Amino acid sequence: QVQLVESGGGLVQAGGSLRLSCSVSGSGLGIDVMGWYRQAPGKQRELVAAYPSGGTTNYADSVKGRFTISRDNAKNTVYLQMNSLKPEDTAVYYCYVNSWGYGYWGQGTQVTVSS
C-alpha cells in the first residue's frame, strides 16, 4: 500500500510564499515521476510541476519562474516551493507519484491566496 502525506498548504497574501511537502511511504517503492497537480473550484485538475527520476523538471506555463519542484529520493519526498503567489493560484494541490507504472495521489492540501 502506497501512502502520500501532504503538508504545507494554507492562507497567504498575494506575493507571498508557501512550501508544500509530500512524503511517500510503502513497501517495494519504485518511484519514477513525482509531481504536483492542482484543482480550482469549477475547473479540471491540471499539472503544476513534474520531476521524473533522472529527468528534467517541467512546469505549467502559468507557474514558470515562480514555482520550483524538488525531490529528496532518500526520503521519498517531493517539495513545491511557491513564490510570488497570485490569487489565481488558489486551489487544492495534490501530490502525485508513479511507482512501478501505477499512479498514486495524495489527499490534497488547500492553498488560498488573498488579494
Side-chain angles (χ1 to χ4, degrees):
Q1 184 74 11
V2 177
Q3 292 187 323
L4 286 68
V5 178
E6 302 160 356
S7 61
L11 173 64
V12 65
Q13 289 189 332
S17 299
L18 285 173
R19 189 190 193 211
L20 306 182
S21 300
C22 174
S23 178
V24 185
S25 62
S27 60
L29 291 174
I31 297 174
D32 179 8
V33 179
M34 305 185 85
W36 293 92
Y37 286 72
R38 67 185 180 187
Q39 187 167 18
K43 295 188 177 181
Q44 289 188 331
R45 191 173 296 189
E46 63 174 358
L47 173 69
V48 176
Y51 199 147
S53 176
T56 58
T57 57
N58 62 87
Y59 297 90
D61 288 342
S62 59
V63 307
K64 283 181 180 176
R66 301 188 297 122
F67 291 10
T68 302
I69 188 171
S70 60
R71 58 189 285 176
D72 185 332
N73 292 330
K75 296 181 179 180
N76 290 326
T77 299
V78 61
Y79 306 94
L80 185 68
Q81 178 66 44
M82 304 185 293
N83 298 328
S84 302
L85 283 160
K86 304 175 180 180
E88 51 263 43
D89 295 318
T90 295
V92 177
Y93 284 70
Y94 296 91
C95 175
Y96 170 86
V97 300
N98 183 298
S99 176
W100 298 118
Y102 292 91
Y104 300 90
W105 294 91
Q107 79 283 2
T109 185
Q110 178 70 46
V111 171
T112 302
V113 184
S114 63
S115 58

